[in-house]
Amino acid sequence: MSLGYAEKLSYIEDVGNVGMAEHFDPSHVLREKIDQLAVMIKKSKHLVVFTGAGISTSCGIPDFRGPKGIWTLQREGKALPEISLPFHRAVPSMTHMALVELEKAGILKFVISQNVDGLHLRSGIPREKLAELHGNSFMETCPSCGAEYFRDFEVETIGLKETSRRCSDAKCGAKLKDTVLDWEDALPSKEMDPAEKHCKQADIVLCLGTSLQITPACNLPLKALRGGGKVVIVNLQKTPKDKKASLVIHGLADKVIAGVMDQLNLQIPPFVRIDLFQIILTHALSNGNQC
């Protein structure tokens, strides 16, 4: 998550458990669990992935509840962590790109994310196969016609407020709004409804990099259990849902997913930033026409 996003949130006293200890499975146990997860995914007919801040830490974006998380340091009265690069220049992690390949292979049916960093969309996950429960810092939406605008800059507001831009549809022209929720905002049905539907259909809900504390989002994976599905949790900290999971893996998401992809004989594609490529191509064509 962005430090800017965290600072824009309304202040609340209780943000849940923070500063939780990190746990790492011994290497031989981790290998066994990765193999077990790979077998489960290979047999899966409806895999859903549920992601949190832990899949973006390798992108240079701090998490919230870890030992050096934003809320952990705030509660301890310490300075906030330094981001390694501007938020808008963060690129998708190995995990993000592995999910893209799993979706293209027809294995991954739907992604549910609590993150607002926009990296799932940027990585190439189709919008119709993604629910961003808490919004997207780079997305504006038109409240009149429903059009969405995925920007290459971080939208200046949060809390579903009006921004400084208008819908570009000549028949509309309504003022746009940001899509990022503040604490008091309800989860939008546009995101929540398909997320709930896919969790109920899932034979596996794979939770990656989330402490599963924020309600009501954290209860979504458990909806798979009613239909006989299973929950798998990959996270460095223990979560309140661990006892409900068929498999709990304490390891870095990138390492776990890389191991799974290897077992599935699938390659993780490199990230190519298409929006910058399009800008470069447009400039090249423009310059060519001037020759």
Side-chain angles (χ1 to χ4, degrees), residues 23-100:
H23 302 272
F24 292 85
D25 288 330
S27 58
H28 69 283
V29 174
L30 184 62
R31 284 195 299 270
E32 291 173 0
K33 289 183 176 181
I34 288 172
D35 291 347
Q36 186 179 346
L37 176 57
V39 170
M40 293 173 71
I41 290 176
K42 190 176 291 187
K43 294 179 179 179
S44 173
K45 302 297 183 185
H46 199 102
L47 172 66
V48 173
V49 171
F50 184 88
T51 67
I55 72 162
S56 296
T57 53
S58 63
C59 308
I61 301 174
D63 65 12
F64 289 105
R65 302 176 188 277
K68 296 182 179 179
I70 294 171
W71 291 335
T72 303
L73 296 177
Q74 283 181 337
R75 181 170 290 183
E76 294 173 350
K78 296 179 180 178
L80 293 181
E82 294 289 333
I83 54 175
S84 59
L85 76 171
F87 193 34
H88 67 277
R89 290 184 58 194
V91 298
S93 67
M94 186 184 297
T95 298
H96 287 101
M97 298 313 300
L99 297 182
V100 171

Side-chain angles (χ1 to χ4, degrees), residues 1-12 62-64 70-71 73-74 78-83 87 116 137 154 156-159 161 180-183:
M1 299 298 117
S2 160
L3 294 186
Y5 160 65
E7 290 168 346
K8 290 173 188 173
L9 286 169
S10 299
Y11 176 79
I12 63 168
D63 65 12
F64 289 105
I70 294 171
W71 291 335
L73 296 177
Q74 283 181 337
K78 296 179 180 178
L80 293 181
E82 294 289 333
I83 54 175
F87 193 34
V116 301
S137 289
E154 193 173 355
E156 63 271 19
T157 60
I158 71 162
K161 298 183 181 68
V180 176
L181 306 187
D182 205 343
W183 286 111

Side-chain angles (χ1 to χ4, degrees), residues 4-266:
Y5 160 65
E7 290 168 346
K8 290 173 188 173
L9 286 169
S10 299
Y11 176 79
I12 63 168
E13 185 68 31
D14 184 14
V15 295
N17 292 330
V18 298
M20 298 178 291
E22 293 182 342
H23 302 272
F24 292 85
D25 288 330
S27 58
H28 69 283
V29 174
L30 184 62
R31 284 195 299 270
E32 291 173 0
K33 289 183 176 181
I34 288 172
D35 291 347
Q36 186 179 346
L37 176 57
V39 170
M40 293 173 71
I41 290 176
K42 190 176 291 187
K43 294 179 179 179
S44 173
K45 302 297 183 185
H46 199 102
L47 172 66
V48 173
V49 171
F50 184 88
T51 67
I55 72 162
S56 296
T57 53
S58 63
C59 308
I61 301 174
D63 65 12
F64 289 105
R65 302 176 188 277
K68 296 182 179 179
I70 294 171
W71 291 335
T72 303
L73 296 177
Q74 283 181 337
R75 181 170 290 183
E76 294 173 350
K78 296 179 180 178
L80 293 181
E82 294 289 333
I83 54 175
S84 59
L85 76 171
F87 193 34
H88 67 277
R89 290 184 58 194
V91 298
S93 67
M94 186 184 297
T95 298
H96 287 101
M97 298 313 300
L99 297 182
V100 171
E101 184 63 22
L102 287 170
E103 188 278 323
K104 287 181 178 178
I107 298 170
L108 174 59
K109 306 302 183 184
F110 201 74
V111 176
I112 304 166
S113 185
Q114 302 166 96
N115 299 341
V116 301
D117 54 32
L119 291 177
H120 282 303
L121 269 185
R122 194 170 289 167
S123 70
I125 292 292
R127 180 67 179 99
E128 66 273 13
K129 294 187 178 182
L130 172 66
E132 295 181 304
L133 299 180
H134 299 153
N136 185 323
S137 289
F138 297 87
M139 184 80 76
E140 292 176 286
T141 186
C142 177
S144 179
C145 70
E148 292 182 331
Y149 297 85
F150 189 40
R151 307 298 192 187
D152 61 358
F153 57 87
E154 193 173 355
V155 177
E156 63 271 19
T157 60
I158 71 162
L160 313 180
K161 298 183 181 68
E162 288 185 352
T163 67
S164 58
R165 290 161 292 276
R166 290 182 177 272
C167 181
S168 59
D169 189 330
K171 297 179 181 179
C172 182
K175 285 188 175 182
L176 301 178
K177 291 187 175 183
D178 71 74
T179 62
V180 176
L181 306 187
D182 205 343
W183 286 111
E184 70 274 10
D185 296 315
L187 295 184
S189 58
K190 179 182 177 182
E191 309 295 330
M192 191 66 170
D193 290 350
E196 188 168 357
K197 170 192 164 188
H198 280 279
C199 282
K200 288 179 178 178
Q201 293 177 331
D203 49 15
I204 300 174
V205 178
L206 174 58
C207 304
L208 297 173
T210 171
S211 61
L212 293 169
Q213 289 196 56
I214 299 294
T215 57
C218 69
N219 293 318
L220 280 171
L222 301 186
K223 294 185 181 295
L225 301 178
R226 300 174 189 174
K230 297 178 179 179
V231 174
V232 176
I233 299 172
V234 179
N235 198 53
L236 291 179
Q237 295 95 13
K238 295 179 180 180
T239 86
K241 312 299 183 186
D242 285 357
K243 292 181 180 178
K244 299 283 188 179
S246 297
L247 179 63
V248 176
I249 304 176
H250 293 303
L252 296 169
D254 283 352
K255 186 172 184 178
V256 172
I257 293 303
V260 168
M261 295 295 281
D262 186 56
Q263 290 294 315
L264 296 176
N265 292 316
L266 292 173

